[in-house]
Amino acid sequence: QVQLVESGGGSVQAGGSLRLSCTAPGYISDSCGMDWYRQAAGKQREWVSGISTDGSTTYSDSVKGRFTISKDKAKDTVYLQMNSLKPEDTAMYTCKAFCRIYWPPRVYWGQGTQVTVSS
């Protein structure tokens, strides 16, 4: 059973920063695209950012310029650096691995880490 483990959530004031971590087995973080999603209370889950196996990164418009996704292969960890946080960033953040090395492709999710931003 593949397990993704997130950490780094917490409570901060608007304008503050947090760094989320998602640790996965080495073969997962090396071979699969990794994404961060978030879900605020009463809202649908939304995609936040992704990093592909070649290291290319993408961001949703709502976080572009404020969040940075990165990967540390030595630690089998994907990070989401979140700066200039806003109250609307408050949500449960979850990481996902999308693995095309399998057919059909496999998807793995973590349990999530809560981020709360106060005004």
Side-chain angles (χ1 to χ4, degrees):
Q1 181 75 12
V2 174
Q3 194 166 14
L4 308 184
V5 180
E6 301 98 333
S7 62
S11 298
V12 295
Q13 290 192 324
S17 298
L18 284 173
R19 188 177 77 160
L20 306 184
S21 301
C22 173
T23 301
Y27 68 96
I28 293 293
S29 59
D30 284 346
S31 306
C32 305
M34 303 292 292
D35 294 88
W36 284 98
Y37 285 76
R38 68 185 181 185
Q39 187 168 20
K43 296 188 177 180
Q44 288 190 328
R45 183 167 58 196
E46 67 168 329
W47 172 80
V48 175
S49 180
I51 185 165
S52 65
T53 53
D54 66 2
S56 59
T57 60
T58 49
Y59 300 92
S60 68
D61 288 343
S62 61
V63 306
K64 197 174 296 182
R66 300 188 297 122
F67 291 10
T68 303
I69 191 170
S70 62
K71 182 161 56 175
D72 185 334
K73 289 187 176 182
K75 296 183 178 180
D76 300 328
T77 299
V78 173
Y79 300 101
L80 186 67
Q81 177 67 43
M82 307 187 296
N83 298 329
S84 303
L85 283 162
K86 305 175 182 180
E88 51 264 43
D89 294 318
T90 295
M92 178 70 76
Y93 285 71
T94 308
C95 67
K96 184 194 85 173
F98 183 77
C99 303
R100 300 178 189 273
I101 57 173
Y102 303 105
W103 186 257
R106 297 180 185 177
V107 177
Y108 303 105
W109 292 91
Q111 294 297 310
T113 185
Q114 177 68 36
V115 171
T116 302
V117 184
S118 58
S119 57

